[in-house]
Each structure stands twice: as structure tokens, then as C-alpha cells.
Amino acid sequence: MNNFVFYSPTEFVFGRDTEMQVGALARKQDARKVMIVYGGGSVVRSGLLQRVKTSLQEAGVLYCEMGGVQPNPIDTKVYEGIEFCRREQADLMLAIGGGSVIDTAKAIAAGVPYEGDFWDFYVGKAKVKKALNVAVILTIPAAGSEGSGNSVITKVDTLQKLSLRVPELLRPVFSIMNPELTYTLPPFQTACGIADMMVHIMERYFTNTQQVEISDRLCEATLMAVIKEAYRVKQNPDDYDARANIMWCGTIAHNGTCGVGCEEDWASHFLEHEVSALYNVTHGAGLAVIVPAWMTFMAEHHPKKIAQFAIRVFNVPQSEDLEETALAGVSRLKHFFRYMGLPVNFKELGIVNPDIDRLTDSLHRNKGEFVGNYMKLTKKDSKEIYRLAL
């Protein structure tokens, strides 16, 4: 196990009607004015936005609001939010939604105190040294942004989809998590969220770091919990306990718990970021295509941990042939994804003729000569994984 620092200051407020506590929680943070950030009209139609405003008003906390954040969040909305936040002099970002809204709020939080271009943080030209506090009311369990210091934004002009990780400044100060808010999610969106959280775990699980039994077992158990509860929620979308377990799994998947002491991989996410940046597909659906292709490649080139995943998570019988065992695990994962209504190849994702050369060139231009850590992928390797996703 490697040395590590684990810092997770977020206060999680979980359960029914917890959104009504937002005013008291904002006051606890000494917030003077809250900037509410949200996406489409669902938070308005459901009455959630009004409940939040009422709670803030009753607590004596001022607020302003910015809607219109889109899936695969873009830099232009961040620039708009930075300007608006400065004008309104808000001191706490409150994201109501899923990963796209939360990631946008984090980017604004980092950009407001910074004199330069917030994109400097995402391309590595500058480090975040100061940020506004961020808080969350989660409506889509998927990205795990409610418990992480991560943010992913796409730059419109260059179609670069890049991530930022600043756990010491961008982890939310509090996250409100009411599973009832997820009842109305369409089945496809629920499934995409499940794929996203599973891959967050797998990016940490597929590691070469030795003697990480606790991390391995946490990853395996959480993956098995996700799969079990996914079947339940597929059959009964209003099953509170299934929704609650899935929601908490999404947080555990990405708040760092599953990866302590490990060298993490993240190649699958980087490969997918290029796909969703270029073709604007849903991130979780893109991962359902890319991850089985990445695992198939690894079954031939580096099968040890893929085979362990197959045996421990999907109950594939143990065999001396690691590649055969690994491929059986990939087959069962694809079967699960298909059952949940997810695509497992480019055609099913709606991309009939993906520009593999462009995807590969952009990936290595953004990430360098090698991508990932479980096996450092060359340009040739990355291109082969994209081909395996056809």
C-alpha cells in the first residue's frame, strides 16, 4: 500500500425531506448570499427550487440563481457564472442537480477569486489556491461530485474535455442527499449514473499497487451492491431503499474511500472524455462502451486484475487461464449493461463511423505520450481500444 492523505470534510445530510435543511446549513457556513446553480426545468417543475428558496428565506440567507447548465458542461456557462457571481457578490455556490451542475459550480467557485482565465486550472497553467465554498443538493446519483474535489468541463472552441482535482478546496462543504428526488429519473439516466459510479470504482480497482486488500474488498463490495440495487430499481423505480443504496454507492465510489493507498488508472475516463467531447453523448453511456473495450484489451495484455474482478464481482469460475477468465467477466459486465438499457459498442451509442484517428490524436495531445497507469497506453494501444469498441 502506498502512502496517502485522505481529506474529506463534506457534511452529508441524507434522507427524506433533507432539502428543507438547506437554509440552516447555509447559515452554519456563515453564508451571506447563495448562488443557486441548476440545469433544466425539472427542479422548477418538481417544486424543488421553490422549496430551496423558501428554506433560504426562512433562514435569512439571500440568494441569486443561474439555470441552464447542460449535460457535458461547457466553459461558456462557467464564464457566465463567474461574471454573474462577482456581480451578485455571492459567497456560497449551491448546486442543485447532478455532476454537470456540480462541476460547473466548482469551476465558478475556483474562477471567481482568480484574476486569470479559469481554464488555466484545467490545462495545468495554474493551481487553485482559493475558492468559494460549494454546497450540493443531489438529484442525479452518478458522478460522485457531491463528495469529491473533482470537476470536468468541456471547452467549446477546442472540444477539450478536461478534469480538475482539488480535494482540499473543491469538496462540497455540505451535500444534501434525498433519494426521493431520484424517483422521476428516466430509466436510461438512472442506468448511465450506475455505469458512471461503477467505473469510478473500477478506475481505482484496476491498479498495480500490491497489498491493498482493504481497497480491493471495498471496491468489490461496493460494485456488488451497485449491481444488486440496480436490478431492484430497474424492477421498481420507486423503491426507496434501492434508490438510497445506489445514491450512497455513488458517493463512496468517488470520494476517495475506494482508492486509498493505490495508484489509480483513469485511462477509461480519458478515453471516454474524447468521445463525449466530440459526439456529445451521455458520459455514463460512453463509459459502458469504452470500459468493456479497455478490459478486453487488458485481458490479452495485463489480465491479472481483470480476472480477479471477474471472479470476485461476477462469480466467474476460477481458471488457470487468466485471459479466458477475464473475458468471461467482460461478457458478464456487458450483459449487465445491456440489461440496464445501456449501449456496449459505438453503433449502439449512436456513432456509426467514429473518427478513431481524431479521438486518438486528441487524447494523446491532451494527456501526453502515455495514458493511464494499470498499463501505460501508447497511441497504438488507445487506437486499438477504440477499435475494440466498434
PDB file of all heavy atoms in Angstrom, residues 265-301:
ATOM      1  N   ASP A 265      -5.939   4.392 -12.113  1.00  0.00           N
ATOM      2  CA  ASP A 265      -5.716   4.282 -13.553  1.00  0.00           C
ATOM      3  C   ASP A 265      -6.263   5.476 -14.336  1.00  0.00           C
ATOM      4  O   ASP A 265      -5.504   6.314 -14.790  1.00  0.00           O
ATOM      5  CB  ASP A 265      -6.341   2.986 -14.081  1.00  0.00           C
ATOM      6  CG  ASP A 265      -6.018   2.788 -15.555  1.00  0.00           C
ATOM      7  OD1 ASP A 265      -4.824   2.739 -15.886  1.00  0.00           O
ATOM      8  OD2 ASP A 265      -6.946   2.707 -16.382  1.00  0.00           O
ATOM      9  N   TRP A 266      -7.581   5.544 -14.535  1.00  0.00           N
ATOM     10  CA  TRP A 266      -8.300   6.631 -15.195  1.00  0.00           C
ATOM     11  C   TRP A 266      -8.168   6.661 -16.717  1.00  0.00           C
ATOM     12  O   TRP A 266      -8.632   7.594 -17.364  1.00  0.00           O
ATOM     13  CB  TRP A 266      -7.942   8.001 -14.596  1.00  0.00           C
ATOM     14  CG  TRP A 266      -8.393   8.047 -13.167  1.00  0.00           C
ATOM     15  CD1 TRP A 266      -7.626   7.882 -12.048  1.00  0.00           C
ATOM     16  CD2 TRP A 266      -9.745   8.177 -12.702  1.00  0.00           C
ATOM     17  NE1 TRP A 266      -8.415   7.910 -10.907  1.00  0.00           N
ATOM     18  CE2 TRP A 266      -9.706   8.094 -11.282  1.00  0.00           C
ATOM     19  CE3 TRP A 266     -10.967   8.367 -13.349  1.00  0.00           C
ATOM     20  CZ2 TRP A 266     -10.865   8.180 -10.512  1.00  0.00           C
ATOM     21  CZ3 TRP A 266     -12.108   8.460 -12.577  1.00  0.00           C
ATOM     22  CH2 TRP A 266     -12.048   8.372 -11.171  1.00  0.00           C
ATOM     23  N   ALA A 267      -7.578   5.629 -17.308  1.00  0.00           N
ATOM     24  CA  ALA A 267      -7.487   5.609 -18.773  1.00  0.00           C
ATOM     25  C   ALA A 267      -8.873   5.550 -19.413  1.00  0.00           C
ATOM     26  O   ALA A 267      -9.134   6.216 -20.423  1.00  0.00           O
ATOM     27  CB  ALA A 267      -6.648   4.425 -19.232  1.00  0.00           C
ATOM     28  N   SER A 268      -9.778   4.754 -18.845  1.00  0.00           N
ATOM     29  CA  SER A 268     -11.111   4.611 -19.450  1.00  0.00           C
ATOM     30  C   SER A 268     -11.854   5.937 -19.461  1.00  0.00           C
ATOM     31  O   SER A 268     -12.526   6.275 -20.442  1.00  0.00           O
ATOM     32  CB  SER A 268     -11.918   3.555 -18.682  1.00  0.00           C
ATOM     33  OG  SER A 268     -11.341   2.277 -18.820  1.00  0.00           O
ATOM     34  N   HIS A 269     -11.738   6.707 -18.379  1.00  0.00           N
ATOM     35  CA  HIS A 269     -12.380   8.015 -18.347  1.00  0.00           C
ATOM     36  C   HIS A 269     -11.793   8.945 -19.400  1.00  0.00           C
ATOM     37  O   HIS A 269     -12.521   9.670 -20.088  1.00  0.00           O
ATOM     38  CB  HIS A 269     -12.253   8.642 -16.950  1.00  0.00           C
ATOM     39  CG  HIS A 269     -13.450   8.413 -16.091  1.00  0.00           C
ATOM     40  ND1 HIS A 269     -13.717   7.189 -15.520  1.00  0.00           N
ATOM     41  CD2 HIS A 269     -14.465   9.236 -15.716  1.00  0.00           C
ATOM     42  CE1 HIS A 269     -14.851   7.282 -14.823  1.00  0.00           C
ATOM     43  NE2 HIS A 269     -15.314   8.511 -14.927  1.00  0.00           N
ATOM     44  N   PHE A 270     -10.472   8.932 -19.525  1.00  0.00           N
ATOM     45  CA  PHE A 270      -9.835   9.815 -20.501  1.00  0.00           C
ATOM     46  C   PHE A 270     -10.223   9.420 -21.929  1.00  0.00           C
ATOM     47  O   PHE A 270     -10.466  10.292 -22.782  1.00  0.00           O
ATOM     48  CB  PHE A 270      -8.322   9.800 -20.338  1.00  0.00           C
ATOM     49  CG  PHE A 270      -7.844  10.307 -19.002  1.00  0.00           C
ATOM     50  CD1 PHE A 270      -6.671   9.833 -18.432  1.00  0.00           C
ATOM     51  CD2 PHE A 270      -8.566  11.259 -18.291  1.00  0.00           C
ATOM     52  CE1 PHE A 270      -6.223  10.294 -17.195  1.00  0.00           C
ATOM     53  CE2 PHE A 270      -8.134  11.728 -17.058  1.00  0.00           C
ATOM     54  CZ  PHE A 270      -6.954  11.247 -16.510  1.00  0.00           C
ATOM     55  N   LEU A 271     -10.278   8.107 -22.191  1.00  0.00           N
ATOM     56  CA  LEU A 271     -10.715   7.635 -23.497  1.00  0.00           C
ATOM     57  C   LEU A 271     -12.149   8.082 -23.781  1.00  0.00           C
ATOM     58  O   LEU A 271     -12.472   8.531 -24.885  1.00  0.00           O
ATOM     59  CB  LEU A 271     -10.627   6.105 -23.560  1.00  0.00           C
ATOM     60  CG  LEU A 271      -9.226   5.493 -23.676  1.00  0.00           C
ATOM     61  CD1 LEU A 271      -9.203   4.075 -23.121  1.00  0.00           C
ATOM     62  CD2 LEU A 271      -8.776   5.490 -25.141  1.00  0.00           C
ATOM     63  N   GLU A 272     -13.007   7.982 -22.764  1.00  0.00           N
ATOM     64  CA  GLU A 272     -14.415   8.364 -22.961  1.00  0.00           C
ATOM     65  C   GLU A 272     -14.583   9.866 -23.083  1.00  0.00           C
ATOM     66  O   GLU A 272     -15.449  10.328 -23.844  1.00  0.00           O
ATOM     67  CB  GLU A 272     -15.269   7.843 -21.813  1.00  0.00           C
ATOM     68  CG  GLU A 272     -16.774   7.872 -22.096  1.00  0.00           C
ATOM     69  CD  GLU A 272     -17.378   9.280 -22.145  1.00  0.00           C
ATOM     70  OE1 GLU A 272     -16.955  10.152 -21.350  1.00  0.00           O
ATOM     71  OE2 GLU A 272     -18.271   9.513 -22.989  1.00  0.00           O
ATOM     72  N   HIS A 273     -13.811  10.645 -22.352  1.00  0.00           N
ATOM     73  CA  HIS A 273     -13.947  12.100 -22.429  1.00  0.00           C
ATOM     74  C   HIS A 273     -13.816  12.592 -23.869  1.00  0.00           C
ATOM     75  O   HIS A 273     -14.500  13.537 -24.276  1.00  0.00           O
ATOM     76  CB  HIS A 273     -12.902  12.782 -21.547  1.00  0.00           C
ATOM     77  CG  HIS A 273     -13.255  12.757 -20.088  1.00  0.00           C
ATOM     78  ND1 HIS A 273     -12.353  13.105 -19.108  1.00  0.00           N
ATOM     79  CD2 HIS A 273     -14.404  12.424 -19.442  1.00  0.00           C
ATOM     80  CE1 HIS A 273     -12.931  12.982 -17.920  1.00  0.00           C
ATOM     81  NE2 HIS A 273     -14.174  12.571 -18.105  1.00  0.00           N
ATOM     82  N   GLU A 274     -12.953  11.955 -24.631  1.00  0.00           N
ATOM     83  CA  GLU A 274     -12.798  12.352 -26.025  1.00  0.00           C
ATOM     84  C   GLU A 274     -14.069  12.044 -26.823  1.00  0.00           C
ATOM     85  O   GLU A 274     -14.473  12.821 -27.694  1.00  0.00           O
ATOM     86  CB  GLU A 274     -11.594  11.641 -26.659  1.00  0.00           C
ATOM     87  CG  GLU A 274     -10.271  11.921 -25.980  1.00  0.00           C
ATOM     88  CD  GLU A 274      -9.917  13.403 -25.942  1.00  0.00           C
ATOM     89  OE1 GLU A 274     -10.320  14.145 -26.871  1.00  0.00           O
ATOM     90  OE2 GLU A 274      -9.238  13.828 -24.990  1.00  0.00           O
ATOM     91  N   VAL A 275     -14.703  10.917 -26.511  1.00  0.00           N
ATOM     92  CA  VAL A 275     -15.930  10.522 -27.218  1.00  0.00           C
ATOM     93  C   VAL A 275     -17.061  11.498 -26.914  1.00  0.00           C
ATOM     94  O   VAL A 275     -17.742  11.993 -27.823  1.00  0.00           O
ATOM     95  CB  VAL A 275     -16.338   9.085 -26.834  1.00  0.00           C
ATOM     96  CG1 VAL A 275     -17.651   8.700 -27.523  1.00  0.00           C
ATOM     97  CG2 VAL A 275     -15.239   8.090 -27.207  1.00  0.00           C
ATOM     98  N   SER A 276     -17.278  11.800 -25.632  1.00  0.00           N
ATOM     99  CA  SER A 276     -18.385  12.694 -25.285  1.00  0.00           C
ATOM    100  C   SER A 276     -18.089  14.138 -25.659  1.00  0.00           C
ATOM    101  O   SER A 276     -19.019  14.913 -25.916  1.00  0.00           O
ATOM    102  CB  SER A 276     -18.746  12.567 -23.799  1.00  0.00           C
ATOM    103  OG  SER A 276     -17.629  12.699 -22.962  1.00  0.00           O
ATOM    104  N   ALA A 277     -16.814  14.516 -25.704  1.00  0.00           N
ATOM    105  CA  ALA A 277     -16.474  15.875 -26.162  1.00  0.00           C
ATOM    106  C   ALA A 277     -16.785  16.042 -27.641  1.00  0.00           C
ATOM    107  O   ALA A 277     -17.332  17.067 -28.064  1.00  0.00           O
ATOM    108  CB  ALA A 277     -14.996  16.163 -25.900  1.00  0.00           C
ATOM    109  N   LEU A 278     -16.468  15.025 -28.433  1.00  0.00           N
ATOM    110  CA  LEU A 278     -16.645  15.131 -29.886  1.00  0.00           C
ATOM    111  C   LEU A 278     -18.088  14.864 -30.314  1.00  0.00           C
ATOM    112  O   LEU A 278     -18.619  15.545 -31.196  1.00  0.00           O
ATOM    113  CB  LEU A 278     -15.701  14.148 -30.593  1.00  0.00           C
ATOM    114  CG  LEU A 278     -15.688  14.159 -32.120  1.00  0.00           C
ATOM    115  CD1 LEU A 278     -15.334  15.550 -32.651  1.00  0.00           C
ATOM    116  CD2 LEU A 278     -14.694  13.127 -32.652  1.00  0.00           C
ATOM    117  N   TYR A 279     -18.738  13.893 -29.659  1.00  0.00           N
ATOM    118  CA  TYR A 279     -20.066  13.460 -30.112  1.00  0.00           C
ATOM    119  C   TYR A 279     -21.194  13.825 -29.144  1.00  0.00           C
ATOM    120  O   TYR A 279     -22.355  13.518 -29.415  1.00  0.00           O
ATOM    121  CB  TYR A 279     -20.055  11.945 -30.363  1.00  0.00           C
ATOM    122  CG  TYR A 279     -19.114  11.540 -31.471  1.00  0.00           C
ATOM    123  CD1 TYR A 279     -17.880  10.962 -31.195  1.00  0.00           C
ATOM    124  CD2 TYR A 279     -19.447  11.780 -32.805  1.00  0.00           C
ATOM    125  CE1 TYR A 279     -17.008  10.599 -32.214  1.00  0.00           C
ATOM    126  CE2 TYR A 279     -18.589  11.422 -33.831  1.00  0.00           C
ATOM    127  CZ  TYR A 279     -17.363  10.836 -33.530  1.00  0.00           C
ATOM    128  OH  TYR A 279     -16.506  10.487 -34.545  1.00  0.00           O
ATOM    129  N   ASN A 280     -20.850  14.451 -28.011  1.00  0.00           N
ATOM    130  CA  ASN A 280     -21.833  14.934 -27.046  1.00  0.00           C
ATOM    131  C   ASN A 280     -22.779  13.827 -26.567  1.00  0.00           C
ATOM    132  O   ASN A 280     -23.992  14.041 -26.425  1.00  0.00           O
ATOM    133  CB  ASN A 280     -22.645  16.105 -27.621  1.00  0.00           C
ATOM    134  CG  ASN A 280     -23.325  16.913 -26.524  1.00  0.00           C
ATOM    135  OD1 ASN A 280     -22.826  17.015 -25.409  1.00  0.00           O
ATOM    136  ND2 ASN A 280     -24.479  17.473 -26.831  1.00  0.00           N
ATOM    137  N   VAL A 281     -22.240  12.651 -26.326  1.00  0.00           N
ATOM    138  CA  VAL A 281     -23.042  11.553 -25.780  1.00  0.00           C
ATOM    139  C   VAL A 281     -23.036  11.640 -24.259  1.00  0.00           C
ATOM    140  O   VAL A 281     -22.194  12.312 -23.655  1.00  0.00           O
ATOM    141  CB  VAL A 281     -22.490  10.179 -26.226  1.00  0.00           C
ATOM    142  CG1 VAL A 281     -22.560  10.055 -27.741  1.00  0.00           C
ATOM    143  CG2 VAL A 281     -21.056   9.966 -25.740  1.00  0.00           C
ATOM    144  N   THR A 282     -23.970  10.962 -23.630  1.00  0.00           N
ATOM    145  CA  THR A 282     -24.018  10.914 -22.173  1.00  0.00           C
ATOM    146  C   THR A 282     -22.798  10.160 -21.654  1.00  0.00           C
ATOM    147  O   THR A 282     -22.478   9.075 -22.137  1.00  0.00           O
ATOM    148  CB  THR A 282     -25.310  10.223 -21.702  1.00  0.00           C
ATOM    149  OG1 THR A 282     -26.426  10.931 -22.234  1.00  0.00           O
ATOM    150  CG2 THR A 282     -25.393  10.197 -20.182  1.00  0.00           C
ATOM    151  N   HIS A 283     -22.132  10.741 -20.664  1.00  0.00           N
ATOM    152  CA  HIS A 283     -20.865  10.201 -20.171  1.00  0.00           C
ATOM    153  C   HIS A 283     -20.993   8.744 -19.726  1.00  0.00           C
ATOM    154  O   HIS A 283     -20.168   7.895 -20.093  1.00  0.00           O
ATOM    155  CB  HIS A 283     -20.380  11.074 -19.008  1.00  0.00           C
ATOM    156  CG  HIS A 283     -19.132  10.605 -18.343  1.00  0.00           C
ATOM    157  ND1 HIS A 283     -17.943  10.376 -19.017  1.00  0.00           N
ATOM    158  CD2 HIS A 283     -18.878  10.309 -17.031  1.00  0.00           C
ATOM    159  CE1 HIS A 283     -17.019   9.969 -18.162  1.00  0.00           C
ATOM    160  NE2 HIS A 283     -17.563   9.916 -16.957  1.00  0.00           N
ATOM    161  N   GLY A 284     -22.020   8.427 -18.940  1.00  0.00           N
ATOM    162  CA  GLY A 284     -22.182   7.054 -18.455  1.00  0.00           C
ATOM    163  C   GLY A 284     -22.389   6.063 -19.587  1.00  0.00           C
ATOM    164  O   GLY A 284     -21.883   4.934 -19.544  1.00  0.00           O
ATOM    165  N   ALA A 285     -23.132   6.477 -20.614  1.00  0.00           N
ATOM    166  CA  ALA A 285     -23.338   5.606 -21.775  1.00  0.00           C
ATOM    167  C   ALA A 285     -22.026   5.400 -22.529  1.00  0.00           C
ATOM    168  O   ALA A 285     -21.721   4.289 -22.984  1.00  0.00           O
ATOM    169  CB  ALA A 285     -24.399   6.213 -22.691  1.00  0.00           C
ATOM    170  N   GLY A 286     -21.242   6.460 -22.644  1.00  0.00           N
ATOM    171  CA  GLY A 286     -19.936   6.330 -23.283  1.00  0.00           C
ATOM    172  C   GLY A 286     -19.019   5.382 -22.523  1.00  0.00           C
ATOM    173  O   GLY A 286     -18.295   4.581 -23.124  1.00  0.00           O
ATOM    174  N   LEU A 287     -19.069   5.467 -21.192  1.00  0.00           N
ATOM    175  CA  LEU A 287     -18.255   4.558 -20.378  1.00  0.00           C
ATOM    176  C   LEU A 287     -18.684   3.105 -20.564  1.00  0.00           C
ATOM    177  O   LEU A 287     -17.842   2.190 -20.558  1.00  0.00           O
ATOM    178  CB  LEU A 287     -18.356   4.944 -18.904  1.00  0.00           C
ATOM    179  CG  LEU A 287     -17.631   6.221 -18.486  1.00  0.00           C
ATOM    180  CD1 LEU A 287     -17.973   6.574 -17.040  1.00  0.00           C
ATOM    181  CD2 LEU A 287     -16.116   6.085 -18.641  1.00  0.00           C
ATOM    182  N   ALA A 288     -19.989   2.860 -20.715  1.00  0.00           N
ATOM    183  CA  ALA A 288     -20.478   1.494 -20.909  1.00  0.00           C
ATOM    184  C   ALA A 288     -19.949   0.889 -22.204  1.00  0.00           C
ATOM    185  O   ALA A 288     -19.876  -0.336 -22.342  1.00  0.00           O
ATOM    186  CB  ALA A 288     -22.010   1.485 -20.907  1.00  0.00           C
ATOM    187  N   VAL A 289     -19.559   1.744 -23.131  1.00  0.00           N
ATOM    188  CA  VAL A 289     -18.948   1.287 -24.386  1.00  0.00           C
ATOM    189  C   VAL A 289     -17.438   1.123 -24.236  1.00  0.00           C
ATOM    190  O   VAL A 289     -16.856   0.108 -24.659  1.00  0.00           O
ATOM    191  CB  VAL A 289     -19.270   2.291 -25.521  1.00  0.00           C
ATOM    192  CG1 VAL A 289     -18.456   1.967 -26.778  1.00  0.00           C
ATOM    193  CG2 VAL A 289     -20.759   2.292 -25.817  1.00  0.00           C
ATOM    194  N   ILE A 290     -16.800   2.105 -23.635  1.00  0.00           N
ATOM    195  CA  ILE A 290     -15.332   2.133 -23.587  1.00  0.00           C
ATOM    196  C   ILE A 290     -14.766   1.124 -22.597  1.00  0.00           C
ATOM    197  O   ILE A 290     -13.760   0.445 -22.891  1.00  0.00           O
ATOM    198  CB  ILE A 290     -14.838   3.556 -23.240  1.00  0.00           C
ATOM    199  CG1 ILE A 290     -15.136   4.522 -24.400  1.00  0.00           C
ATOM    200  CG2 ILE A 290     -13.350   3.555 -22.914  1.00  0.00           C
ATOM    201  CD1 ILE A 290     -14.437   4.171 -25.703  1.00  0.00           C
ATOM    202  N   VAL A 291     -15.365   0.988 -21.424  1.00  0.00           N
ATOM    203  CA  VAL A 291     -14.763   0.138 -20.385  1.00  0.00           C
ATOM    204  C   VAL A 291     -14.678  -1.332 -20.804  1.00  0.00           C
ATOM    205  O   VAL A 291     -13.627  -1.966 -20.614  1.00  0.00           O
ATOM    206  CB  VAL A 291     -15.502   0.309 -19.042  1.00  0.00           C
ATOM    207  CG1 VAL A 291     -15.075  -0.765 -18.047  1.00  0.00           C
ATOM    208  CG2 VAL A 291     -15.200   1.686 -18.466  1.00  0.00           C
ATOM    209  N   PRO A 292     -15.733  -1.935 -21.362  1.00  0.00           N
ATOM    210  CA  PRO A 292     -15.560  -3.322 -21.820  1.00  0.00           C
ATOM    211  C   PRO A 292     -14.485  -3.465 -22.894  1.00  0.00           C
ATOM    212  O   PRO A 292     -13.777  -4.489 -22.932  1.00  0.00           O
ATOM    213  CB  PRO A 292     -16.947  -3.678 -22.371  1.00  0.00           C
ATOM    214  CG  PRO A 292     -17.886  -2.785 -21.643  1.00  0.00           C
ATOM    215  CD  PRO A 292     -17.136  -1.493 -21.480  1.00  0.00           C
ATOM    216  N   ALA A 293     -14.344  -2.451 -23.746  1.00  0.00           N
ATOM    217  CA  ALA A 293     -13.286  -2.495 -24.758  1.00  0.00           C
ATOM    218  C   ALA A 293     -11.912  -2.422 -24.091  1.00  0.00           C
ATOM    219  O   ALA A 293     -10.986  -3.171 -24.458  1.00  0.00           O
ATOM    220  CB  ALA A 293     -13.463  -1.346 -25.751  1.00  0.00           C
ATOM    221  N   TRP A 294     -11.757  -1.527 -23.112  1.00  0.00           N
ATOM    222  CA  TRP A 294     -10.493  -1.422 -22.370  1.00  0.00           C
ATOM    223  C   TRP A 294     -10.186  -2.725 -21.649  1.00  0.00           C
ATOM    224  O   TRP A 294      -9.046  -3.212 -21.666  1.00  0.00           O
ATOM    225  CB  TRP A 294     -10.597  -0.262 -21.375  1.00  0.00           C
ATOM    226  CG  TRP A 294      -9.378  -0.049 -20.525  1.00  0.00           C
ATOM    227  CD1 TRP A 294      -8.310   0.745 -20.807  1.00  0.00           C
ATOM    228  CD2 TRP A 294      -9.113  -0.633 -19.241  1.00  0.00           C
ATOM    229  NE1 TRP A 294      -7.388   0.688 -19.768  1.00  0.00           N
ATOM    230  CE2 TRP A 294      -7.854  -0.150 -18.806  1.00  0.00           C
ATOM    231  CE3 TRP A 294      -9.812  -1.520 -18.421  1.00  0.00           C
ATOM    232  CZ2 TRP A 294      -7.287  -0.530 -17.590  1.00  0.00           C
ATOM    233  CZ3 TRP A 294      -9.252  -1.914 -17.204  1.00  0.00           C
ATOM    234  CH2 TRP A 294      -7.994  -1.404 -16.802  1.00  0.00           C
ATOM    235  N   MET A 295     -11.187  -3.329 -21.028  1.00  0.00           N
ATOM    236  CA  MET A 295     -10.982  -4.585 -20.306  1.00  0.00           C
ATOM    237  C   MET A 295     -10.639  -5.731 -21.253  1.00  0.00           C
ATOM    238  O   MET A 295      -9.828  -6.598 -20.926  1.00  0.00           O
ATOM    239  CB  MET A 295     -12.226  -4.923 -19.481  1.00  0.00           C
ATOM    240  CG  MET A 295     -12.488  -3.963 -18.330  1.00  0.00           C
ATOM    241  SD  MET A 295     -14.053  -4.291 -17.472  1.00  0.00           S
ATOM    242  CE  MET A 295     -13.653  -5.829 -16.631  1.00  0.00           C
ATOM    243  N   THR A 296     -11.242  -5.739 -22.435  1.00  0.00           N
ATOM    244  CA  THR A 296     -10.924  -6.759 -23.438  1.00  0.00           C
ATOM    245  C   THR A 296      -9.464  -6.649 -23.867  1.00  0.00           C
ATOM    246  O   THR A 296      -8.754  -7.662 -24.002  1.00  0.00           O
ATOM    247  CB  THR A 296     -11.855  -6.615 -24.661  1.00  0.00           C
ATOM    248  OG1 THR A 296     -13.209  -6.775 -24.237  1.00  0.00           O
ATOM    249  CG2 THR A 296     -11.526  -7.650 -25.727  1.00  0.00           C
ATOM    250  N   PHE A 297      -9.013  -5.421 -24.078  1.00  0.00           N
ATOM    251  CA  PHE A 297      -7.598  -5.185 -24.404  1.00  0.00           C
ATOM    252  C   PHE A 297      -6.713  -5.677 -23.265  1.00  0.00           C
ATOM    253  O   PHE A 297      -5.699  -6.363 -23.492  1.00  0.00           O
ATOM    254  CB  PHE A 297      -7.380  -3.694 -24.659  1.00  0.00           C
ATOM    255  CG  PHE A 297      -5.955  -3.320 -24.966  1.00  0.00           C
ATOM    256  CD1 PHE A 297      -5.486  -3.333 -26.273  1.00  0.00           C
ATOM    257  CD2 PHE A 297      -5.071  -2.949 -23.954  1.00  0.00           C
ATOM    258  CE1 PHE A 297      -4.171  -2.989 -26.569  1.00  0.00           C
ATOM    259  CE2 PHE A 297      -3.760  -2.602 -24.240  1.00  0.00           C
ATOM    260  CZ  PHE A 297      -3.308  -2.624 -25.549  1.00  0.00           C
ATOM    261  N   MET A 298      -7.071  -5.370 -22.042  1.00  0.00           N
ATOM    262  CA  MET A 298      -6.266  -5.770 -20.889  1.00  0.00           C
ATOM    263  C   MET A 298      -6.293  -7.273 -20.651  1.00  0.00           C
ATOM    264  O   MET A 298      -5.333  -7.842 -20.112  1.00  0.00           O
ATOM    265  CB  MET A 298      -6.740  -5.037 -19.630  1.00  0.00           C
ATOM    266  CG  MET A 298      -6.458  -3.551 -19.648  1.00  0.00           C
ATOM    267  SD  MET A 298      -4.694  -3.191 -19.895  1.00  0.00           S
ATOM    268  CE  MET A 298      -4.791  -1.451 -20.339  1.00  0.00           C
ATOM    269  N   ALA A 299      -7.382  -7.945 -21.045  1.00  0.00           N
ATOM    270  CA  ALA A 299      -7.450  -9.403 -20.891  1.00  0.00           C
ATOM    271  C   ALA A 299      -6.315 -10.087 -21.640  1.00  0.00           C
ATOM    272  O   ALA A 299      -5.786 -11.119 -21.206  1.00  0.00           O
ATOM    273  CB  ALA A 299      -8.797  -9.919 -21.384  1.00  0.00           C
ATOM    274  N   GLU A 300      -5.908  -9.490 -22.748  1.00  0.00           N
ATOM    275  CA  GLU A 300      -4.787 -10.042 -23.525  1.00  0.00           C
ATOM    276  C   GLU A 300      -3.440  -9.568 -23.009  1.00  0.00           C
ATOM    277  O   GLU A 300      -2.477 -10.337 -22.954  1.00  0.00           O
ATOM    278  CB  GLU A 300      -4.946  -9.646 -24.999  1.00  0.00           C
ATOM    279  CG  GLU A 300      -3.794 -10.136 -25.871  1.00  0.00           C
ATOM    280  CD  GLU A 300      -3.926  -9.730 -27.326  1.00  0.00           C
ATOM    281  OE1 GLU A 300      -4.978  -9.156 -27.703  1.00  0.00           O
ATOM    282  OE2 GLU A 300      -2.968  -9.973 -28.093  1.00  0.00           O
ATOM    283  N   HIS A 301      -3.367  -8.299 -22.580  1.00  0.00           N
ATOM    284  CA  HIS A 301      -2.069  -7.694 -22.286  1.00  0.00           C
ATOM    285  C   HIS A 301      -1.717  -7.649 -20.794  1.00  0.00           C
ATOM    286  O   HIS A 301      -0.535  -7.628 -20.445  1.00  0.00           O
ATOM    287  CB  HIS A 301      -2.018  -6.278 -22.861  1.00  0.00           C
ATOM    288  CG  HIS A 301      -2.144  -6.233 -24.356  1.00  0.00           C
ATOM    289  ND1 HIS A 301      -1.088  -6.488 -25.196  1.00  0.00           N
ATOM    290  CD2 HIS A 301      -3.216  -5.988 -25.157  1.00  0.00           C
ATOM    291  CE1 HIS A 301      -1.483  -6.392 -26.452  1.00  0.00           C
ATOM    292  NE2 HIS A 301      -2.769  -6.090 -26.457  1.00  0.00           N
TER     293      HIS A 301
END
